[in-house]
Amino acid sequence: MAILVTGGAGYIGSHMVLTLLEAGHDVVVLDNLANASRESLSRVAELAGKTPAFVEGDIRDRECLDRLFAEHTISDVLHFAGLKAVGESVAQPLRYYENNVAGTLTLCQAMAAAGVFRLVFSSSATVYGDGHPMPIHEGLPTGTPTNPYGTSKLMVENVLRDLARADERWSVALLRYFNPVGAHESGRIGEDPNGKPNNLVPFIAQVAVGRREALSVFGDDYPTPDGTGVRDYIHVMDLVEGHLAAMRVLASRRGVGIWNLGTGRGYSVLEMVRAFEQASGRPVPYRIEPRREGDIAECWADPALARKELGWQAARGLDAMLADTWRWQRTNPQGYEPS
Amino acid sequence: MAILVTGGAGYIGSHMVLTLLEAGHDVVVLDNLANASRESLSRVAELAGKTPAFVEGDIRDRECLDRLFAEHTISDVLHFAGLKAVGESVAQPLRYYENNVAGTLTLCQAMAAAGVFRLVFSSSATVYGDGHPMPIHEGLPTGTPTNPYGTSKLMVENVLRDLARADERWSVALLRYFNPVGAHESGRIGEDPNGKPNNLVPFIAQVAVGRREALSVFGDDYPTPDGTGVRDYIHVMDLVEGHLAAMRVLASRRGVGIWNLGTGRGYSVLEMVRAFEQASGRPVPYRIEPRREGDIAECWADPALARKELGWQAARGLDAMLADTWRWQRTNPQGYEPS
């Protein structure tokens, strides 16, 4: 029996594959390499001393999925494949809905046809929408995400909820990520964004390493201690360990479980900048720009439910997140494909 | 230039095709005949004295759509194709999301590739969710539909909203139907449900014509005048004329317009039963059963916006709705395919 990891060559997926291999699982990776590189899997194999099976293909390709399920005996699907750039999703909504929503429908249909009913889905705290008091717990109603990326995550949550209601063979985990950052402590794998990074920490890292001139900080007049936005950053290795815990719990429960994956503590943009300067020993120049539409002042998780039900909590602090990011960035300044 | 009508062989679609042909338009029908019959289009052709082009195919089949757009010059798409049985959607959510949501994504991608950007979408008042005071106007926020059918309609609305925001070439009408009933006054075309009807009027009609023994009335203890649920029924010919009006308005506006298609007046289940007995001269026995989960007490439209912006309002009253239903049912007791 193997675990299928969709999007397993991407940032979070590659860390997941490494963790699964190290935990003794057989792994099949499905990735269309749209925003990922084969090199990540070579390095995972080198770190783990084992090579995952790799299928280059797309979750939207039903024939490809059927072949994969015929050739491999899959017990669980960890579903990371998807597009994730908020700004791009606003410009190309059909592409986002097609990849994220229609792709997941096709994946679920292929799973059901193959008799595979355990699924861990990469959701996002964005499904909560605005206006909740912090911290955010899973009992809050979902809201209205402000962009197609977020809407696609909420749509998939609703599809999976309805699916598990209709057919009791399904065991589904909806894992609502806060802000994954960091890299494996080896520095051999990490986040390698295409083009301009959409997220804070990869942007800071590219400034520190000299690939970009300065960080844009969007808004310093939020009602937060230093006026900049506060978010709950979680180390990617903690995040993938949360998936492992969820997968284990799914083996003995049915229906849909929803768990936040966050640390329960927020840091402001300027705190992140200072901490990264400390971790890297490099200056991170920044300039204040106007607020970005759709951004909220602060957001952090109540991580109690995952602790209680999954027996999991984030173990790595901000120093590790940023030291590991920096190790990856410093030794791979151009990511996986040096220019 | 022709109008593409997806689902054009179905109940509402066939009435739309007839109305378009009579208004002088060329029409291409795309229908997978999953819940429709070719016979409806033969009768439409007989009534109109013109035959629409017919493509047997599926909105989920991108190659079929590309061929259709290559072979016909399409100005507007009226998109009726979709699954619509609430109960079935609860049991088969993936099928509903696949047909209704993924199908619409594929249709929109093919439209954009062909340079066609005018779309009229069959939405539903179910997207408002519960808890609003009556009547329902378009300024109200959407809610949480209680079943995958309704959720799929809301998802498509959100997709189309994001699409029109991203690309200003799109002109989209979201038409939120209340309860379409009735048939063309000729009695030659009408609603021909597969199996047990999901909606009140076709069920009543089948009881009146002797195909079913008695009507089940779900709940007689709602806070309504006679305790049974109150809905806004609209004659299918009024409904399709609303589409024609929307299509004309889209020719000179961009972005998304949202319009209720209802009459603004509600009737209870028991009022419908009495009125149908009157229209048909047949008894309609019924029995009271427990409330159905997800049903609300009452729902009717504020139709003012469509009157103002589309220059359209429903013209046919309850007597016409039921007399036309009965004419269709009486002369076609087994629908299009007599046993």
Side-chain angles (χ1 to χ4, degrees):
Chain A
M1 297 289 266
I3 315 291
L4 172 60
V5 182
T6 74
Y11 168 42
I12 300 171
S14 59
H15 291 78
M16 185 79 246
V17 173
L18 176 55
T19 299
L20 287 166
L21 291 172
E22 287 180 338
H25 293 284
D26 288 332
V27 176
V28 179
V29 170
L30 175 70
D31 203 303
N32 67 4
L33 301 178
N35 187 21
S37 130
R38 281 173 193 276
E39 176 65 13
S40 68
L41 291 180
S42 303
R43 296 195 185 178
V44 164
E46 157 209 306
L47 290 165
K50 291 191 263 195
T51 302
F54 176 64
V55 175
E56 183 172 344
D58 198 294
I59 53 167
R60 294 168 293 171
D61 180 347
R62 177 63 190 271
E63 284 173 28
C64 169
L65 293 171
D66 287 345
R67 265 197 315 276
L68 188 156
F69 284 111
E71 286 168 11
H72 301 274
T73 305
I74 302 295
S75 59
D76 300 77
V77 178
L78 307 185
H79 177 30
F80 297 91
L83 301 175
K84 61 176 182 178
V86 169
E88 191 180 65
S89 80
V90 172
Q92 303 172 28
L94 281 184
R95 194 172 149 237
Y96 271 68
Y97 290 121
E98 171 74 24
N99 274 273
N100 294 7
V101 182
T104 302
L105 290 171
T106 304
L107 175 63
C108 290
Q109 286 168 319
M111 287 177 65
V116 180
F117 294 99
R118 285 213 296 266
L119 177 66
V120 179
F121 175 63
S122 300
S123 189
S124 165
T126 191
V127 303
Y128 290 110
D130 301 351
H132 297 298
M134 296 301 129
I136 289 188
H137 64 88
E138 296 85 347
L140 292 170
T142 55
T144 305
T146 54
N147 56 73
Y149 160 75
T151 307
S152 76
K153 291 293 178 189
L154 183 54
M155 287 181 183
V156 171
E157 284 205 358
N158 289 336
V159 166
L160 296 176
R161 174 202 62 199
D162 290 341
L163 181 57
R165 276 186 195 154
D167 184 340
E168 60 174 22
R169 289 172 297 179
W170 284 89
S171 302
V172 176
L174 307 178
L175 301 183
R176 293 179 175 164
Y177 299 179
F178 284 69
N179 296 263
V181 298
H184 186 255
E185 59 177 7
S186 65
R188 294 293 291 156
I189 59 174
E191 185 168 9
D192 181 18
N194 274 345
K196 195 169 172 179
N198 292 289
N199 298 317
L200 178 66
V201 171
F203 205 112
I204 291 179
Q206 290 191 5
V207 172
V209 86
R211 277 175 70 178
R212 301 190 181 270
E213 203 181 322
L215 172 72
S216 296
V217 176
F218 298 104
D220 67 348
D221 56 353
Y222 284 106
T224 59
D226 65 22
T228 63
V230 169
R231 297 289 181 277
D232 183 337
Y233 297 93
I234 175 171
H235 196 295
V236 64
M237 293 304 296
D238 280 328
L239 189 84
V240 301
E241 287 166 9
H243 286 66
L244 196 60
M247 192 182 83
R248 287 175 177 151
V249 165
L250 287 194
S252 58
R253 63 177 273 164
R254 298 292 174 94
V256 170
I258 301 178
W259 295 285
N260 286 341
L261 296 185
T263 66
R265 135 131 230 211
Y267 292 96
S268 76
V269 176
L270 294 184
E271 285 177 304
M272 296 298 282
V273 168
R274 303 292 172 226
F276 203 93
E277 287 180 331
Q278 199 104 58
S280 65
R282 303 278 184 98
V284 177
Y286 65 87
R287 52 177 168 255
I288 303 296
E289 301 201 16
R291 293 183 182 191
R292 255 184 333 199
E293 203 187 314
D295 276 355
I296 57 178
E298 50 184 21
C299 177
W300 66 90
D302 179 342
L305 193 66
R307 194 165 59 230
K308 181 177 163 212
E309 294 187 351
L310 305 182
W312 166 90
Q313 61 183 315
R316 296 161 181 88
L318 188 62
D319 290 350
M321 296 181 210
L322 300 185
D324 291 338
T325 300
W326 178 239
R327 188 175 305 108
W328 153 254
Q329 186 70 66
R330 183 172 50 79
T331 54
N332 302 273
Q334 303 298 327
Y336 288 114
E337 298 184 48
S339 55
Chain B
M1 297 291 264
I3 315 292
L4 171 61
V5 182
T6 73
Y11 168 43
I12 301 171
S14 59
H15 291 79
M16 184 80 247
V17 173
L18 175 56
T19 299
L20 287 167
L21 291 172
E22 287 180 337
H25 294 284
D26 287 331
V27 177
V28 179
V29 170
L30 175 70
D31 203 303
N32 67 4
L33 302 179
N35 186 22
S37 130
R38 279 172 194 276
E39 176 64 14
S40 68
L41 291 179
S42 304
R43 296 194 185 180
V44 163
E46 156 209 307
L47 290 165
K50 290 191 264 196
T51 302
F54 176 64
V55 176
E56 182 171 345
D58 197 295
I59 53 168
R60 293 168 293 171
D61 179 347
R62 178 63 190 271
E63 283 173 28
C64 170
L65 293 170
D66 287 345
R67 266 198 314 277
L68 188 157
F69 284 110
E71 287 168 11
H72 301 275
T73 306
I74 303 294
S75 59
D76 300 77
V77 177
L78 307 185
H79 176 30
F80 297 90
L83 300 176
K84 61 176 182 179
V86 169
E88 191 180 65
S89 81
V90 172
Q92 303 173 26
L94 281 184
R95 194 171 149 237
Y96 271 69
Y97 290 122
E98 171 75 24
N99 274 271
N100 294 6
V101 181
T104 302
L105 290 170
T106 304
L107 175 64
C108 290
Q109 287 168 319
M111 288 177 65
V116 180
F117 294 100
R118 286 214 295 267
L119 177 66
V120 179
F121 174 63
S122 301
S123 189
S124 164
T126 191
V127 302
Y128 290 110
D130 300 352
H132 297 298
M134 296 300 130
I136 289 187
H137 65 87
E138 296 85 345
L140 292 170
T142 54
T144 304
T146 52
N147 56 72
Y149 160 75
T151 307
S152 77
K153 290 292 179 189
L154 183 55
M155 287 182 183
V156 171
E157 284 205 358
N158 290 336
V159 166
L160 296 175
R161 173 202 63 198
D162 290 340
L163 181 56
R165 275 187 195 153
D167 183 340
E168 59 173 22
R169 290 172 297 179
W170 284 90
S171 301
V172 175
L174 307 178
L175 301 184
R176 293 178 175 165
Y177 298 0
F178 283 69
N179 295 264
V181 298
H184 186 256
E185 60 176 7
S186 66
R188 294 292 291 156
I189 58 173
E191 185 168 9
D192 181 18
N194 274 345
K196 195 168 171 178
N198 293 289
N199 298 316
L200 178 66
V201 171
F203 206 110
I204 291 179
Q206 290 192 5
V207 172
V209 87
R211 277 176 71 177
R212 299 189 183 271
E213 203 181 321
L215 172 72
S216 296
V217 175
F218 298 104
D220 66 348
D221 55 353
Y222 284 106
T224 59
D226 64 22
T228 64
V230 168
R231 296 291 181 276
D232 183 337
Y233 297 93
I234 176 171
H235 195 296
V236 64
M237 293 305 295
D238 280 328
L239 188 85
V240 301
E241 288 166 9
H243 286 68
L244 195 61
M247 192 181 82
R248 287 174 176 150
V249 165
L250 287 193
S252 58
R253 63 177 274 165
R254 298 294 174 92
V256 170
I258 301 177
W259 294 286
N260 286 341
L261 297 184
T263 66
R265 132 134 233 209
Y267 292 96
S268 77
V269 176
L270 294 184
E271 285 176 305
M272 296 298 283
V273 169
R274 303 293 173 226
F276 203 93
E277 287 180 331
Q278 198 104 57
S280 65
R282 302 278 184 96
V284 178
Y286 65 87
R287 53 177 166 254
I288 303 296
E289 301 201 16
R291 292 183 183 191
R292 254 184 334 199
E293 202 188 316
D295 276 356
I296 57 179
E298 50 184 21
C299 178
W300 67 89
D302 179 341
L305 193 67
R307 193 165 61 230
K308 182 177 163 213
E309 295 187 352
L310 305 181
W312 166 90
Q313 60 184 315
R316 296 162 181 87
L318 187 63
D319 289 350
M321 297 182 211
L322 299 186
D324 291 339
T325 299
W326 178 239
R327 188 175 306 108
W328 154 255
Q329 187 69 66
R330 182 173 50 79
T331 54
N332 301 272
Q334 303 297 327
Y336 288 114
E337 298 184 48
S339 55

